[in-house]
């Protein structure tokens, strides 16, 4: 069942960390012209020469793409930090990055320096890279197995809420104007401050306390608070079991993870899912939604409202995923999501091609964008992070998140850089590439990725072991997973069959 302290810890960690990831993805979209203008003025004041357009484009694409690059560096810090400082500790330390960047960005206009904005985008990226990996890990390790999927989607829900809030605050009438943009960029420090003040009152991940710190007393207290009842022996026992099975494998570093036969398919699966998630073009659909609508003939004054409504659809669909991921399962959502994405990309290509000749084609393009966003929000966006938590045991999980996170951010960075050139060269046909990537990912998931809902980490591990053609030694089998009474009952059953 969902207890108050579990709900609160999910909300605080998602609002303080994941929310800002989303916020900073879309925050520089609306005030872009005013910020570029500021770059120009500052440069003119300093040198007496205006910026030439090539250099301005370079500065702007740096401002945009330094964020995912920082995210990549943040992902590389996951493994050392979560093992040394714990999951909760990492989230708290991480807030310092965000607060520093927020102060720098908020004061950049007063200080008349645009370099600081580019630097802050790197720092915000590092923050987001850590947040996007540590929050799902933290929540996945704290939740009971029947709520793991739902709680695992919560970070993604807050990412979409962050995107939406940034879009709303970025409207010209609110903060997306010449005076307001430094405030818009600086607001990101507030959720961090709230998290810094509230999260210390909540427990650390019980799995971390027991398995990595070897502190059963603290783990038991943490579990009792999270579950709202006294008797947590079964879960403690399950963790000990996971711990024993891990003792034989030791702590994984990224290198040992990549060369270990027993985790081969899990590793390939998360790499494929993370690449599929980012290379399916979700960010270019978001970055360039304005442009797609403009070419579809939406009036320029109302474009920003259309973008906001798409952000809202994104939130609603992710919220839906929170409620259906436990009943329908992870696989169905991933497959359905990628089917919707690939088909809408294909039709979008058609729509963008024909809209100059066929008048209603522009509406078809808008519908495609909406279907695409719905498809991505129910599966490809939220599920991969849930699956990383589920497919790996405690010892390999931090390394797995580091690999998954790095792939996620590198792919994000690549799409951000390449899409402009791709669009210049291929025009509307660039969405066919995204269509192909969605299809390929879907086929892989269909054949390889198992359903993981409502299974313990050990059970999932055994399903994957069959695929890796590795025997799980008998000593690790689930001798002790049943509380003592059920064990006899089970033997009676099996002998009567």
């Amino acid at each position: 069942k969902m207890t108050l302290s579990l709900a609160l810890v999910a909300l605080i960690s998602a609002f303080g960390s994941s929310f800002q990831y989303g916020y900073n993805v879309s925050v520089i979209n609306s005030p872009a012209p005013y910020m570029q203008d500021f770059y120009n003025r500052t440069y003119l004041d300093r040198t007496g020469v205006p910026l030439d357009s090539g250099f301005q484009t370079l500065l702007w694409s740096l401002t945009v793409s330094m964020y995912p690059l920082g995210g990549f560096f943040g992902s590389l810090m996951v493994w050392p930090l979560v093992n040394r400082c714990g999951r909760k500790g990492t989230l708290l330390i991480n807030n310092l990055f965000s607060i520093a960047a927020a102060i720098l960005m908020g004061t950049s206009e007063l200080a008349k320096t645009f370099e600081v904005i580019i630097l802050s985008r790197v720092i915000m990226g590092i923050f987001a890279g850590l947040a996007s990996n540590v929050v799902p890990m933290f929540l996945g390790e704290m939740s009971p197995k029947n709520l793991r999927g739902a709680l695992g989607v919560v970070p993604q829900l807050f990412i979409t809420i962050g995107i939406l809030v940034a879009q709303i605050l970025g409207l010209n009438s609110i903060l997306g104007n010449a005076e307001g943009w430094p405030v818009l960029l600086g607001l990101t420090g507030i959720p961090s401050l709230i998290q810094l003040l509230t999260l210390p009152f909540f427990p650390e991940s019980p799995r971390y306390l027991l398995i990595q710190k070897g502190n059963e007393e603290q783990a038991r207290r943490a579990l009792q608070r999270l579950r709202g009842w006294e008797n947590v022996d079964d879960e403690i026992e399950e963790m000990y079991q996971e711990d024993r099975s891990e003792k034989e494998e030791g702590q994984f570093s990224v290198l040992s993870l990549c060369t270990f036969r027993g985790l081969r398919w899990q590793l390939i699966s998360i790499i494929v899912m993370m690449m599929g998630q980012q290379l399916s073009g979700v960010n270019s659909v978001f970055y360039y939604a304005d442009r797609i609508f403009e070419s579809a003939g939406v009036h320029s004054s109302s474009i920003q409202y259309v973008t906001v409504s798409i952000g809202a659809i994104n939130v609603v669909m992710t919220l839906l995923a929170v409620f259906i991921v436990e009943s329908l399962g992870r696989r169905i959502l991933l497959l359905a999501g990628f089917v919707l994405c690939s088909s809408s990309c294909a039709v979008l290509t058609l729509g963008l091609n024909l809209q100059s000749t066929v008048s209603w084609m522009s509406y078809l393009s808008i519908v495609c964008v909406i279907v695409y966003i719905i498809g991505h929000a129910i599966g490809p966006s939220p599920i991969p992070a849930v699956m990383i938590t589920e497919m790996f045991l405690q010892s390999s999980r931090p390394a797995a998140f580091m690999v998954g996170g790095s792939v996620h951010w590198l792919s994000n960075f690549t799409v951000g850089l390449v899409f402009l050139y791709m669009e210049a060269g291929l025009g509307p046909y660039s969405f066919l590439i995204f269509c192909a990537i969605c299809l390929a990912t879907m086929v892989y998931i269909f054949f390889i990725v198992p359903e993981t809902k409502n299974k313990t980490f050990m059970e999932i591990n055994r399903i994957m072991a069959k695929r890796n053609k590795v025997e799980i030694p008998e000593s690790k089998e689930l001798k002790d997973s049943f509380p003592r009474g059920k064990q006899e009952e089970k033997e009676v059953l099996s002998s009567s069959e």
Side-chain angles (χ1 to χ4, degrees):
K1 74 182 185 48
M2 176 64 88
T3 57
L4 183 64
S5 61
L6 185 61
L8 279 175
V9 82
L11 291 176
I12 289 169
S13 51
F15 174 67
S17 297
S18 310
F19 172 84
Q20 300 183 72
Y21 167 20
Y23 185 87
N24 286 290
V25 163
S26 71
V27 75
I28 61 168
N29 212 341
S30 347
Y34 307 103
M35 288 173 68
Q36 286 167 333
D37 189 44
F38 164 67
Y39 285 19
N40 220 335
R41 282 202 319 277
T42 313
Y43 190 78
L44 185 63
D45 288 349
R46 271 190 220 163
T47 61
V49 206
L51 267 173
D52 70 274
S53 64
F55 190 48
Q56 175 148 9
T57 314
L58 175 69
L59 282 178
W60 188 248
S61 49
L62 278 178
T63 311
V64 178
S65 60
M66 278 300 132
Y67 181 63
L69 195 63
F72 171 65
F73 292 130
S75 301
L76 297 182
M77 295 159 67
V78 169
W79 188 79
L81 277 173
V82 292
N83 288 332
R84 195 150 304 142
C85 315
R87 280 64 169 149
K88 181 174 103 173
T90 303
L91 288 178
L92 291 173
I93 294 168
N94 198 18
N95 284 324
L96 302 175
F97 284 120
S98 153
I99 292 169
I103 293 169
L104 287 175
M105 288 194 287
T107 56
S108 57
E109 193 183 27
L110 294 172
K112 289 200 174 17
T113 155
F114 53 81
E115 292 86 351
V116 159
I117 297 183
I118 295 176
L119 174 71
S120 307
R121 290 284 291 172
V122 181
I123 299 174
M124 255 350 281
I126 293 174
F127 170 87
L130 276 161
S132 66
N133 293 304
V134 180
V135 179
M137 188 190 311
F138 184 47
L139 296 183
E141 289 184 8
M142 292 176 106
S143 31
K145 67 178 184 197
N146 59 323
L147 292 173
R148 207 168 50 219
L151 279 175
V153 177
V154 167
Q156 180 62 31
L157 175 66
F158 273 86
I159 291 174
T160 58
I161 294 173
I163 292 176
L164 178 63
V165 168
Q167 285 169 340
I168 294 173
L169 293 177
L171 291 172
N172 294 132
S173 50
I174 306 178
L175 288 172
N177 49 44
E179 294 73 55
W181 66 262
V183 183
L184 183 66
L185 293 178
L187 281 178
T188 185
I190 295 173
S192 270
L193 209 57
I194 295 174
Q195 188 182 49
L196 207 51
L197 299 174
T198 50
L199 194 62
F201 299 106
F202 290 91
E204 170 63 274
S205 151
R207 282 189 134 70
Y208 170 78
L209 292 170
L210 184 83
I211 297 182
Q212 268 140 312
K213 285 272 166 276
N215 192 330
E216 188 184 334
E217 188 43 47
Q218 274 182 330
R220 190 175 290 273
R221 272 210 307 275
L223 266 179
Q224 284 163 344
R225 268 193 68 187
L226 291 170
R227 299 290 178 262
W229 55 69
E230 287 303 297
N231 180 13
V232 289
D233 294 345
D234 294 0
E235 275 199 78
I236 294 273
E237 186 47 55
E238 190 219 325
M239 286 183 212
Y240 266 129
Q241 214 177 322
E242 194 179 319
D243 187 28
R244 278 196 294 279
S245 83
E246 308 257 275
K247 282 283 183 284
E248 301 158 28
E249 292 167 3
Q251 265 291 13
F252 279 86
S253 69
V254 171
L255 196 68
S256 57
L257 176 69
C258 295
T259 51
F260 182 64
R261 171 105 183 273
L263 292 171
R264 178 162 308 158
W265 282 106
Q266 283 97 310
L267 190 68
I268 297 172
S269 297
I270 59 155
I271 290 176
V272 169
M273 285 191 283
M274 280 301 189
M275 283 176 78
Q277 175 197 61
Q278 288 301 317
L279 300 178
S280 60
V282 64
N283 287 10
S284 24
V285 171
F286 258 115
Y287 285 144
Y288 302 100
D290 297 15
R291 294 248 294 284
I292 293 171
F293 295 134
E294 200 176 340
S295 66
V298 180
H299 201 271
S300 57
S301 56
S302 47
I303 281 185
Q304 44 176 347
Y305 297 102
V306 181
T307 315
V308 167
S309 53
I310 281 197
I313 294 171
N314 200 9
V315 172
V316 172
M317 295 316 291
T318 312
L319 190 59
L320 178 68
V322 172
F323 293 106
I324 58 180
V325 65
E326 294 302 351
S327 51
L328 287 182
R330 332 292 195 230
R331 241 178 91 93
I332 297 293
L333 289 182
L334 276 171
L335 293 170
F338 277 117
V339 168
L340 286 175
C341 287
S342 56
S343 46
S344 56
C345 275
V347 180
L348 183 62
T349 309
L350 187 72
L352 292 173
N353 261 319
L354 297 180
Q355 67 191 18
S356 49
T357 47
V358 187
S359 58
W360 51 270
M361 275 297 177
S362 54
Y363 299 105
L364 184 66
S365 305
I366 295 176
V367 172
C368 285
V369 171
I370 292 170
V371 171
Y372 181 92
I373 297 290
I374 291 175
H376 216 279
I378 57 169
S381 282
I383 310 288
V386 180
M387 299 289 270
I388 301 184
T389 310
E390 297 185 323
M391 288 172 129
F392 292 88
L393 295 179
Q394 195 72 17
S395 60
S396 48
R397 195 175 296 127
F401 262 104
M402 206 155 126
V403 172
S406 309
V407 170
H408 169 107
W409 288 100
L410 272 181
S411 308
N412 186 327
F413 179 63
T414 313
V415 171
L417 277 184
V418 173
F419 185 73
L420 281 174
Y421 298 104
M422 208 160 89
E423 201 203 22
L426 295 173
Y429 295 105
S430 41
F431 285 97
L432 281 181
I433 297 181
F434 296 141
C435 172
I437 291 171
C438 291
L439 277 176
T441 315
M442 190 187 80
V443 170
Y444 177 89
I445 291 168
F446 183 77
F447 286 111
I448 307 285
V449 177
E451 180 52 73
T452 55
K453 71 168 183 189
N454 226 341
K455 298 183 166 65
T456 66
F457 290 140
M458 290 299 288
E459 286 162 359
I460 298 167
N461 199 39
R462 276 216 308 296
I463 298 174
M464 294 305 288
K466 285 202 189 68
R467 179 142 294 147
N468 290 322
K469 302 193 169 44
V470 181
E471 287 304 305
I472 290 192
E474 207 34 56
S475 68
K476 286 187 185 171
E477 281 298 342
L478 300 184
K479 285 210 181 77
D480 329 328
S481 66
F482 295 98
R484 298 290 166 263
K486 286 219 185 95
Q487 191 73 30
E488 285 85 68
E489 204 174 288
K490 204 175 165 230
E491 272 144 28
V492 175
L493 276 176
S494 56
S495 59
S496 66
E497 277 164 9

